[in-house]
Amino acid sequence: MTITPPTGDWVPDSCTLPTVEQSVRVAEFDRFITGSVRRTDRPARTRLNLLLAAEAEEEEGRDLAARESGCCSFFTFGFDATEDGPVMRIAVPDNQAAVLDALAARADAWIGGDRR
């Protein structure tokens, strides 16, 4: 079965990444999600938690979070160790919740639910 993630322009207008590089960043998120995210959790409208594979936090997760914060400064990324594994915590201000909605939908489409 092939799962196609949601399409459409979910990159916010406030993103300072050059337009030509935006599709590359989206593809990086897709690769990160498919290879590293085990489960999503949406504790609030403006927060998304991604449970990661153990090896994904340092190299991939932190690097991608730092680069994304550089072009979309409204994102706040944090990392925590939990009993289930590392978690990437993503937060946005209320006026950017639609961007987080799109990212969460993309993650859920790619991972197809909980992958333990």
Side-chain angles (χ1 to χ4, degrees), residues 40-57:
T40 64
D41 175 45
R42 192 79 183 265
R45 182 172 178 265
T46 58
R47 293 179 25 222
L48 174 66
N49 297 331
L50 304 176
L51 177 64
L52 306 177
E55 67 281 356
E57 178 186 353

Side-chain angles (χ1 to χ4, degrees), residues 52-74:
L52 306 177
E55 67 281 356
E57 178 186 353
E58 287 301 321
E59 285 185 37
E60 295 175 84
R62 289 184 184 269
D63 176 61
L64 186 56
R67 289 184 293 119
E68 187 62 19
S69 293
C71 65
C72 292
S73 60
F74 60 85

Side-chain angles (χ1 to χ4, degrees), residues 5-12 29-30 33 40-50 74-75 90-110:
T7 58
D9 184 16
W10 62 274
V11 177
F29 265 101
D30 288 347
I33 290 166
T40 64
D41 175 45
R42 192 79 183 265
R45 182 172 178 265
T46 58
R47 293 179 25 222
L48 174 66
N49 297 331
L50 304 176
F74 60 85
F75 275 115
I90 307 170
V92 297
D94 194 59
N95 67 339
Q96 295 293 346
V99 175
L100 201 58
D101 292 342
L103 181 58
R106 198 164 190 89
D108 289 341
W110 274 118

Side-chain angles (χ1 to χ4, degrees), residues 4-47:
T4 303
T7 58
D9 184 16
W10 62 274
V11 177
D13 292 337
S14 58
C15 180
T16 61
L17 196 64
T19 303
V20 70
E21 294 178 30
Q22 290 176 4
S23 62
V24 173
R25 182 64 54 82
V26 170
E28 285 183 278
F29 265 101
D30 288 347
R31 279 191 303 277
F32 177 70
I33 290 166
T34 59
S36 302
V37 176
R38 300 293 171 239
R39 184 173 69 230
T40 64
D41 175 45
R42 192 79 183 265
R45 182 172 178 265
T46 58
R47 293 179 25 222

